[in-house]
Amino acid sequence: MSLPILPTISTFFIVLSAIFVAIGWAQIKQRKIEKHKKTMLLAGVFALTFFIIYVSRTLFLGNTAFGGPDHLKIYYTIFLIFHIFLATTGAIFGIVSIASGLKNKLALHRKIGPVTSVIWFFTAITGVAVYLLLYVFFHGGPTTSVFKAILGG
């Protein structure tokens, strides 16, 4: 079985970002503030790398439609929409968390940082599940525009 290179690389980066968020969380619990800052910035860089690869692939190649059985398509679609909602929410929270930390707005940072981390962990987990459903458990369907991949057609 051969896996597609760009989705595999982008999924690797989103998992890497979640791992670094977990490391950063542990560091702040240990009061290692400078290490925490560097680790979380690196997690942000990994997430941004994922996003750049994903958007580039989408713009130039399109998105892969679900290639599994038709009776599972509705469940996959609902799951994908949930993942997209999590990823969008996590990205917004991530930007606010990083910006508030860098600007020393620590009350806000301490309030939303843990929430952001949990959202990001679920984003990474559901992202890996989408990857597995599209490329490992089932053969991907045709590569097409994002709207056709999500909504069918």
Side-chain angles (χ1 to χ4, degrees), residues 6 10 45-60:
L6 289 178
S10 65
V45 167
F46 291 143
L48 182 60
T49 302
F50 157 81
F51 185 71
I52 291 168
I53 294 169
Y54 176 79
V55 168
S56 298
R57 182 176 186 274
T58 300
L59 289 174
F60 294 108

Side-chain angles (χ1 to χ4, degrees), residues 66-147:
F66 180 64
D70 284 341
H71 71 279
L72 294 180
K73 184 168 177 34
I74 187 65
Y75 302 109
Y76 170 79
T77 301
I78 293 167
F79 186 78
L80 179 62
I81 291 168
F82 175 68
H83 168 69
I84 291 168
F85 174 78
L86 278 176
T88 303
T89 304
I92 293 166
F93 270 67
I95 291 166
V96 173
S97 292
I98 290 171
S100 63
L102 291 174
K103 293 179 181 179
N104 274 335
K105 295 182 178 182
L106 298 182
L108 175 61
H109 186 76
R110 287 181 183 123
K111 186 175 184 178
I112 69 167
V115 174
T116 304
S117 297
V118 170
I119 292 169
W120 204 248
F121 294 140
F122 281 105
T123 298
I125 291 165
T126 58
V128 169
V130 167
Y131 171 81
L132 292 172
L133 289 168
L134 281 180
Y135 304 110
V136 177
F137 299 149
F138 305 107
H139 294 290
T143 298
T144 185
S145 75
V146 66
F147 297 109

Side-chain angles (χ1 to χ4, degrees), residues 22-33 36 114:
I23 293 168
W25 196 340
Q27 289 169 331
I28 202 61
K29 292 282 188 193
Q30 298 168 357
R31 311 296 296 153
K32 297 177 179 176
I33 295 168
H36 168 77

